Amino acid sequence: MIKLETRQLFLMKRPGIDNRFSQFDQQENNDSYLIQCAIAMMVRNAFSPEDFSFIAKDLIRKLFFTSDSLASVRHLCVYFQEYFTKKEWKTVTARLFTNQKEYLAITEETRSNTDHLHALLHSGSRKATELQNIVTTFKDENGKKHRYTFKNLDPCYSVQITNDLLCILNTLTIFQHNGVRRFTELVRYVYSPTEPVYDSERETETATRWVENNQTKAADAREKIQEMKRANSGEHPTNQENNPATKTQGKDSLPKSSSHQKNQPSSIPIPPESDSSKKSDDGDTKRPDWKYRQLLQQGKKKQNQQNQQLSFSKKGKKKNRKRNRRK
């Protein structure tokens, strides 16, 4: 079944919608429905920077010249006056109405509400500085409110013109849901950006990707630092990775301090015994790291200086005691 509903009328491109009109006409015998669809496309053309004017022009002209089932949409015929020459238009109105007086009476409301909009309904393409969506709220036939968003439109009209264009949909009966007319009264409309200002789901996904990327970069940086350290110490990369002592090194692996280390300043700690100086399983002794040796020498030197100071102070105390005893 060929569908020609809200989704097709307001989302399909120009070539596709032209073909859809022809296919629907061949499959369905509903001329008044096609007339209303063409009016909906006029509203879309007014808002869109793309050209949706004179949709299915030849088909619409044929219907007005030959169809006998347009009585229910006679009051809407004024939208299509631009499809015909003046002479042809007289022929059309003569087929739909008994006289000119009836034509003016039946079409009075439509003409008063839309005569100032005809140039927009048939305007064609134009350049738009920006595109926005129109989020509308309509009441259905039962008075229940519902929302519909018209996408990628040119927000170039005044409030009154925009309101008048959207209210054309109130006169169409083809948009239904479960047998209930959808557009019967325009409640409000709001222009909104085509891209949401803030989308919590999108922001969460972006933040997750950012964290994962930074974690990967940090892991790569740490690996490079480890490789540089192994290269400076002359170690093969596999020796460091396969050494169980290196993997489990932590607070528990630090050597216990002796009694004389308690008096040592905390700012110059004696480094723990390096795994690089231990013997491997095959009995080979690895060369200790030069930084470790330098730090070890500095610590021993500082410790010796402190021990000397302690011994001098002890000797001085003994001398003072002897002098006090002599006195």
Side-chain angles (χ1 to χ4, degrees):
M1 179 179 179
I2 300 300
K3 289 186 177 182
L4 195 56
E5 299 174 352
T6 310
R7 182 178 180 83
Q8 291 76 33
L9 292 173
F10 293 113
L11 294 179
M12 289 184 68
K13 297 294 184 181
R14 175 68 187 254
I17 200 66
D18 277 324
N19 293 333
R20 189 59 62 95
F21 266 77
S22 299
Q23 293 171 0
F24 187 89
D25 178 56
Q26 295 172 5
Q27 181 173 309
E28 303 290 336
N29 186 22
N30 196 341
D31 297 339
S32 61
Y33 188 96
L34 283 175
I35 294 298
Q36 294 190 63
C37 288
I39 296 173
M41 291 303 301
M42 293 180 189
V43 176
R44 182 181 179 185
N45 176 79
F47 285 110
S48 176
E50 301 179 38
D51 183 8
F52 291 99
S53 60
F54 298 99
I55 285 288
K57 181 176 180 180
D58 294 337
L59 175 60
I60 298 299
R61 284 169 53 85
K62 184 190 76 170
L63 294 179
F64 275 108
F65 280 135
T66 62
S67 177
D68 296 326
S69 57
L70 300 181
S72 61
V73 292
R74 289 191 304 168
H75 62 292
L76 302 176
C77 69
V78 293
Y79 288 109
F80 299 93
Q81 188 170 351
E82 286 78 5
Y83 279 58
F84 305 92
T85 63
K86 291 183 178 181
K87 184 178 180 180
E88 292 173 337
W89 184 244
K90 289 182 180 180
T91 303
V92 170
T93 56
R95 290 190 73 253
L96 296 176
F97 306 96
T98 55
N99 52 50
Q100 185 69 11
K101 183 178 180 180
E102 184 185 31
Y103 162 71
L104 294 176
I106 292 177
T107 62
E108 180 180 4
E109 183 177 357
T110 304
R111 288 185 290 106
S112 62
N113 292 332
T114 63
D115 274 353
H116 62 295
L117 303 176
H118 277 236
L120 308 178
L121 298 174
H122 306 284
S123 60
S125 62
R126 63 179 181 273
K127 291 184 179 181
T129 56
E130 65 173 335
L131 294 179
Q132 292 190 7
N133 301 331
I134 300 182
V135 182
T136 63
T137 301
F138 282 87
K139 286 184 179 180
D140 64 13
E141 193 173 13
N142 295 331
K144 185 178 179 180
K145 295 180 181 180
H146 65 92
R147 298 176 66 183
Y148 187 82
T149 300
F150 299 91
K151 298 182 178 181
N152 298 320
L153 306 182
D154 182 10
C156 61
Y157 302 128
S158 65
V159 174
Q160 186 61 49
I161 294 296
T162 303
N163 184 82
D164 292 345
L165 287 170
L166 291 174
C167 283
I168 292 176
L169 300 178
N170 297 337
T171 64
L172 307 180
T173 62
I174 58 174
F175 302 113
Q176 298 184 6
H177 180 69
N178 295 331
V180 179
R181 279 183 59 191
R182 298 286 283 169
F183 303 106
T184 60
E185 181 183 347
L186 176 65
V187 178
R188 67 191 292 265
Y189 71 88
V190 178
Y191 278 104
S192 67
T194 54
E195 290 293 333
V197 177
Y198 177 79
D199 186 338
S200 60
E201 183 176 355
R202 180 178 298 180
E203 292 295 329
T204 302
E205 292 176 356
T206 303
T208 302
R209 289 195 299 268
W210 183 87
V211 171
E212 291 175 351
N213 292 337
N214 280 271
Q215 287 177 346
T216 302
K217 292 179 181 179
D220 294 341
R222 287 195 297 269
E223 182 63 25
K224 289 181 179 180
I225 292 173
Q226 293 296 330
E227 291 178 359
M228 293 175 62
K229 287 183 177 180
R230 288 194 292 264
N232 291 335
S233 62
E235 297 178 4
H236 194 274
T238 56
N239 293 339
Q240 186 86 4
E241 295 173 357
N242 297 328
N243 192 340
T246 304
K247 295 182 180 179
T248 58
Q249 184 176 357
K251 293 183 179 180
D252 296 337
S253 64
L254 295 177
K256 296 181 179 180
S257 59
S258 59
S259 58
H260 70 274
Q261 290 176 344
K262 295 180 180 179
N263 297 325
Q264 185 170 336
S266 59
S267 59
I268 308 178
I270 296 178
E273 183 180 358
S274 174
D275 289 341
S276 61
S277 63
K278 294 181 179 180
K279 287 187 177 181
S280 59
D281 295 338
D282 57 358
D284 294 334
T285 304
K286 299 178 181 180
R287 187 182 63 181
D289 187 82
W290 67 271
K291 290 184 177 180
Y292 164 76
R293 288 181 293 165
Q294 185 180 16
L295 188 60
L296 183 61
Q297 290 174 359
Q298 291 177 355
K300 289 182 178 180
K301 185 177 179 181
K302 186 68 176 180
Q303 183 178 341
N304 291 335
Q305 290 176 356
Q306 290 178 350
N307 290 338
Q308 290 177 1
Q309 291 177 359
L310 288 173
S311 62
F312 289 154
S313 63
K314 288 180 180 180
K315 289 180 181 180
K317 290 180 180 180
K318 289 181 179 180
K319 289 181 180 181
N320 291 333
R321 289 174 184 173
K322 289 182 181 179
R323 290 175 183 174
N324 292 333
R325 290 175 184 175
R326 291 174 184 175
K327 291 179 180 179

